Amino acid sequence: MSIELTFSGPYALVTLNRPEALNALQFAMIEALADALDRVANSDARALIVTGAGLKSFCAGADIKELMDRDLMSQRRGAQLGQRTFAKLAALPIPSVAVLHGYAFGGGLELAMACTFRIATEKARMGLPEIKLGLIPGYGGTQRLPRLIGEARANEMVMSGRTIDATEAERWGLVNRIVQAGDPVELGKSFMAEFIGYSKCASLFAREAVQRGMATTLAEGLDIEADLSTLAYRTADAAEGMRAFIEKRTPEFKDG
Ligand code: DAK
């Protein structure tokens, strides 16, 4: 299978496993990814780590050979499939990280941008090179990139197709952190360890407030925050967290 899903303790691990083509995404892989994400959403995992197999590449983008010679309607359906699947990734009830240890181009970078976080090794190279093929991104890149790094820099990447390295990507806010090269799964686990010890409810509400707020006005975002922070306040975990502070002990969250 070109998409592998495994579980390791609190982590769900999705691997793009087509290293002979630098993990380029075929439509069947996107469908398999959607199925894998459903299984992750219904599991007890507390975080998702997305990696690419092989030493060279996270994902070199959509499979260019498969993209050729398709009629417009099937091409549009393909774009909708990719967008729907990456939206499912962005909306998972648990946080996710893409570990970029090599190329992350086109659809591969779009997949990474749908994750909550991105970390990169120094060897990572990122870009949206679709313009060089006479195309533009079709799996959310023109929308998620400006939200992450701002309109001017997004236009620069989308309109030039330029490849950026890990240092520039970190400076621009496209990746959260540059990490020392190593086993991508272990890199993902040690990055996510900081986020998985808290109440799953609070973690979800926090991410949802940020995510929904980014898609609307400040006034509506503040309303969303007021609602979700009140909801968080009503959880048993919030009662436990506040009580533990007063009693000077470590809280025991139960995700409720
Ligand atoms: N698709 C298919 N095969 C790919 C591939 C790709 N994106 N990238 C690499 N490969 C294959 C190569 O063809 C080669 O296979 P063989 O020739 O050995 O059979 C193998 O992977 C190794 O690649 P290279 O020999 O080229 O390796 P190098 O280290 O020399 O170069 C590279 C690595 C990443 C610089 C180079 O492979 C490269 O430039 N790859 C293409 C990168 C790219 O342009 N990605 C963006 C693709 S466009 C849509 C609209 C738009 C899109 C999608 C949908 N709809 C409306 C539905 C666009 C999305 C994109 O992502």
Side-chain angles (χ1 to χ4, degrees), residues 204-245:
L204 175 62
F205 293 149
R207 198 159 57 87
E208 195 179 323
V210 172
Q211 209 172 39
R212 286 173 56 195
M214 287 297 289
T216 187
T217 61
L218 176 62
E220 278 185 34
L222 290 171
D223 281 345
I224 291 167
E225 185 188 81
D227 290 345
L228 288 173
S229 62
T230 307
L231 212 52
Y233 174 78
R234 295 287 297 163
T235 62
D237 280 342
E240 163 64 7
M242 291 185 281
R243 196 178 318 114
F245 174 79

Side-chain angles (χ1 to χ4, degrees), residues 20-22 24 27 56 60-65 67 75-76 78-79 103 105-107 110 129-130 133 135-139:
E20 69 283 4
L22 304 183
F27 291 113
K56 280 176 70 173
D63 188 304
I64 297 169
K65 295 162 198 165
L67 276 188
Q75 197 63 348
R76 184 168 173 78
Y103 303 123
F105 288 145
E110 291 174 295
E130 286 87 343
L133 304 168
L135 299 170
I136 72 165
Y139 297 155

Side-chain angles (χ1 to χ4, degrees), residues 18-52:
R18 201 183 164 221
E20 69 283 4
L22 304 183
N23 303 316
L25 287 172
Q26 294 167 317
F27 291 113
M29 286 171 73
I30 299 177
E31 280 166 1
L33 175 63
D35 290 343
L37 293 173
D38 286 337
R39 290 174 55 200
V40 171
N42 291 316
S43 75
D44 291 331
R46 303 184 74 84
L48 168 66
I49 297 164
V50 186
T51 63

Side-chain angles (χ1 to χ4, degrees), residues 119-180:
I119 59 175
T121 68
E122 277 174 9
K123 266 180 57 188
R125 296 290 179 272
M126 284 147 264
L128 292 175
E130 286 87 343
I131 196 105
K132 297 178 182 172
L133 304 168
L135 299 170
I136 72 165
Y139 297 155
T142 63
Q143 303 306 305
R144 289 203 173 88
L145 189 61
R147 285 168 169 80
L148 281 170
I149 67 173
E151 184 180 343
R153 285 168 171 161
N155 273 334
E156 189 177 331
M157 286 185 73
V158 173
M159 293 170 67
S160 73
R162 183 162 76 83
T163 297
I164 63 172
D165 64 16
T167 306
E168 196 164 17
E170 188 192 35
R171 190 158 49 82
W172 283 7
L174 181 54
V175 301
N176 292 77
R177 204 165 297 170
I178 299 177
V179 293
Q180 281 220 321

